[in-house]
């Protein structure tokens, strides 16, 4: 599961994302990184979870030239 989470820094820190503080724009991290940062009270989730759009996984519409009845 490689979902990404959009977060906002609550306190200043410097890590693999660079320097972040409360004035920084929201940024995206992995779920595992989010768990690490949240456990230390450094970030909060902004609600922007990145996932595959479920509409991309829909079944294709039935072809109009197909007929269930045979003559």
């Amino acid at each position: 599961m490689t979902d990404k989470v959009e977060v906002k820094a609550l306190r200043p820190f410097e890590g693999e994302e660079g320097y972040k503080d409360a004035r920084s724009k929201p940024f995206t991290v992995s779920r595992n990184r989010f768990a690490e940062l949240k456990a230390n009270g450094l970030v909060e989730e902004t609600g922007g979870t990145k996932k595959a759009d479920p509409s991309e996984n829909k079944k294709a519409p039935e072809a109009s030239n197909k007929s269930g009845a045979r003559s």
Side-chain angles (χ1 to χ4, degrees):
M1 193 166 181
T2 60
D3 291 347
K4 299 286 185 175
V5 180
E6 190 171 276
V7 298
K8 174 119 179 90
L10 299 175
R11 295 186 358 214
F13 69 95
E14 188 164 0
E16 51 193 70
E17 304 80 15
Y19 179 79
K20 301 293 182 186
D21 63 19
R23 294 175 295 186
S24 299
K25 292 181 181 177
F27 56 101
T28 304
V29 296
S30 69
R31 284 225 172 260
N32 289 340
R33 183 66 175 149
F34 167 65
E36 291 173 9
L37 296 171
K38 183 175 171 124
N40 291 315
L42 298 174
V43 298
E44 68 180 359
E45 188 171 3
T46 61
T49 302
K50 310 280 185 188
K51 276 190 164 179
D53 186 8
S55 64
E56 293 175 5
N57 297 324
K58 288 188 177 177
K59 182 179 175 184
E62 190 69 29
S64 60
N65 61 352
K66 279 190 162 182
S67 174
R70 298 208 181 234
S71 39

